[in-house]
Amino acid sequence: MRLQVILFISTALLIYFTLHTLVFLLLKSFLFPQNRPAQLLLALILLLLALSFITAFIWTQFSTGPFLHGFYYFSAIWLGTMVNLLLIFSAGLLVYFILHWTPLEVKKISWGIFLLLFSALYTGYGLFHAGALKTKLLPLSLPQFPQEWKGKKIAHISDVHLGIMNGEKLSRRIVSIIREQKADLVFITGDLFDGVGDDLYRSISPFNEISVPVYYITGNHETYLGLDKALSVLAQTKIRILRDEIVDHEGVQVIGIEYPQRGWKKDIRPVLEKKARTKPAILLYHEPSQIETAKEFNITLQLSGHTHNGQMWPMKFFTHLFYMGFDYGLHQIGGYTLYTSSGAGTWGPPLRIGSTAEVVIFTIK
């Protein structure tokens, strides 16, 4: 296990610094092709920016405080900015070569300044859009459910990532939506907490104002934070934690399966074998996976998250490919329904591009 961790960290750092090197080469080529002192200054600035996120992440393991929060937020913004610079300048290089073969005369440095300004605007949009929490209203036809469920409203929350960047303010916005929509039931499908952060009880305390039942399962980031730490905070709230267990809620089985520890794989079959096959069931599982198993055990509705719907373009292409199209939205196959949420918060860069933060409100038909 230790060797796997070392290999993972080494590979991640290699990729991380390689991406920064590519950004340096692109910026140098457009903005400072012949200016050696400017190139050295650019290299130094990018090295410091690259080290900023690593430093901030390590720092959070030993300390807290307003300065650290600000430093971590700045370094996370840089992480997103770096990705945007790489994408935009790579595309810009291709366009520049195409323009070079046309009668249009475009100076390389002018084109580089334009790309730099566009990258800044693009990143700014991502920051703004990440805070645009949407209430998504969805009617849901579930004929297997008891008549008493007709007209009930279910709130589905996922991937809030409360911690060093998202805190009490985001929780209050979510709770406000739940109360405004008069939800009858709330499901939280993991990653309520981030892998780093402090004062978690204060961040989650608004959830105590919810007067209806709230069910919760863990996600992968609770395992990064430390399961004991996450569960001890939740024990101080009204939230009902489901750890590989089944509860009956007004004639419907609610099945909550916790996420496996890092490096482990999980088969949800042993938990599903305990359900009553004749009764409708809602499965809460953080990741939109093991769908064939859920269908085999006559799961009526599965609620998941994890993917953030890519969060930042072009990650959507990879999540769509990896989860075979089940990475976001509503999917109904016969008597089985899956909804994968894009989540309410962000992870890593506090940006969303091509993905919208959401709280989903289902109305049962």
Side-chain angles (χ1 to χ4, degrees), residues 295-316:
K295 287 161 61 179
E296 178 188 338
F297 282 87
N298 299 324
I299 293 297
T300 314
L301 173 64
Q302 177 176 339
L303 299 178
S304 299
H306 185 60
T307 67
H308 294 219
N309 193 20
Q311 187 170 314
M312 284 181 61
W313 193 89
M315 290 305 297
K316 169 68 179 175

Side-chain angles (χ1 to χ4, degrees), residues 138-145 154 156 187 189 252-253 255 268 272 280-285 287-305 325-326 328-341 360 362-365:
L138 278 178
L140 199 56
S141 179
L142 298 172
Q144 307 96 319
F145 273 33
I154 297 174
H156 177 201
F187 293 128
T189 54
V252 174
Q253 299 170 98
I255 306 169
I268 65 173
L272 298 186
I282 298 173
L283 171 63
L284 309 180
Y285 189 58
E287 194 174 9
S289 61
Q290 304 193 56
I291 291 168
E292 291 304 316
T293 302
K295 287 161 61 179
E296 178 188 338
F297 282 87
N298 299 324
I299 293 297
T300 314
L301 173 64
Q302 177 176 339
L303 299 178
S304 299
F326 294 105
Y328 176 66
L330 187 67
H331 306 271
Q332 294 183 299
I333 308 167
Y336 168 80
T337 298
L338 164 70
Y339 188 85
T340 306
S341 172
V360 185
F362 299 106
T363 303
I364 306 300
K365 301 295 184 184

Side-chain angles (χ1 to χ4, degrees), residues 3-297:
L3 179 61
Q4 288 179 331
V5 172
I6 292 171
L7 287 173
F8 174 79
I9 293 174
S10 300
T11 303
L13 288 174
L14 178 62
I15 294 170
Y16 181 71
F17 283 106
T18 299
L19 292 177
H20 277 81
T21 302
L22 292 174
V23 169
F24 167 73
L25 293 173
L26 287 166
L27 291 176
K28 176 179 76 74
S29 172
F30 277 103
L31 302 175
F32 312 110
Q34 306 299 331
N35 192 329
R36 183 72 174 172
Q39 291 177 10
L40 292 173
L41 180 61
L42 175 64
L44 178 61
I45 291 171
L46 287 174
L47 176 61
L48 292 174
L49 287 170
L51 293 173
S52 69
F53 186 78
I54 297 172
T55 303
F57 181 80
I58 295 173
W59 196 352
T60 59
Q61 310 303 310
F62 304 100
S63 181
T64 60
F67 177 79
L68 177 56
H69 280 236
F71 181 56
Y72 188 94
Y73 187 72
F74 165 80
S75 67
I77 291 175
W78 164 248
L79 198 61
T81 304
M82 181 268 294
V83 172
N84 290 338
L85 284 170
L86 184 60
L87 292 171
I88 290 168
F89 271 80
S90 296
L93 184 62
L94 177 62
V95 173
Y96 177 77
F97 279 127
I98 293 171
L99 292 175
H100 188 69
W101 295 100
T102 69
L104 293 172
E105 291 187 11
V106 179
K107 290 184 178 180
K108 200 171 189 181
I109 189 167
S110 300
W111 185 239
I113 291 170
F114 168 76
L115 293 175
L116 196 62
L117 291 173
F118 182 76
S119 299
L121 290 172
Y122 189 69
T123 300
Y125 164 77
L127 278 168
F128 172 79
H129 188 60
L133 184 62
K134 176 185 177 182
T135 305
K136 186 170 184 178
L137 306 178
L138 278 178
L140 199 56
S141 179
L142 298 172
Q144 307 96 319
F145 273 33
Q147 185 65 22
E148 293 78 18
W149 280 70
K150 185 177 180 181
K152 279 187 179 292
K153 289 186 175 182
I154 297 174
H156 177 201
I157 304 160
S158 193
D159 300 272
V160 184
H161 289 276
L162 297 174
I164 199 162
M165 289 197 296
N166 300 314
E168 183 183 3
K169 184 178 178 181
L170 178 56
S171 289
R172 291 208 174 278
R173 291 177 66 193
I174 293 169
V175 170
S176 177
I177 290 171
I178 291 168
R179 296 174 74 177
E180 284 173 7
Q181 293 297 323
K182 297 183 171 129
D184 299 289
L185 189 59
V186 179
F187 293 128
I188 305 173
T189 54
D191 283 4
L192 179 59
F193 298 118
D194 200 26
V196 293
D198 56 354
D199 204 3
L200 296 176
Y201 178 72
R202 181 177 177 182
S203 295
I204 202 175
S205 59
F207 282 83
N208 280 326
E209 299 171 15
I210 301 173
S211 58
V212 298
V214 181
Y215 294 98
Y216 158 88
I217 54 152
T218 62
N220 54 303
H221 278 261
E222 277 82 9
T223 67
Y224 305 156
L225 177 67
L227 205 54
D228 291 340
K229 183 177 180 179
L231 297 180
S232 66
V233 174
L234 287 163
Q236 303 173 60
T237 70
K238 299 176 181 178
I239 296 171
R240 172 77 182 271
I241 306 165
L242 298 180
R243 304 187 66 186
D244 293 352
E245 58 186 297
I246 303 171
V247 297
D248 185 285
H249 187 91
E250 299 181 8
V252 174
Q253 299 170 98
V254 178
I255 306 169
I257 300 181
E258 68 178 5
Y259 202 79
Q261 293 287 340
R262 190 183 316 196
W264 294 9
K265 292 185 178 180
K266 184 147 194 166
D267 182 3
I268 65 173
R269 189 179 298 269
V271 180
L272 298 186
E273 285 174 344
K274 300 173 185 176
K275 72 177 282 291
R277 285 185 175 263
T278 56
K279 292 175 69 174
I282 298 173
L283 171 63
L284 309 180
Y285 189 58
H286 180 59
E287 194 174 9
S289 61
Q290 304 193 56
I291 291 168
E292 291 304 316
T293 302
K295 287 161 61 179
E296 178 188 338
F297 282 87

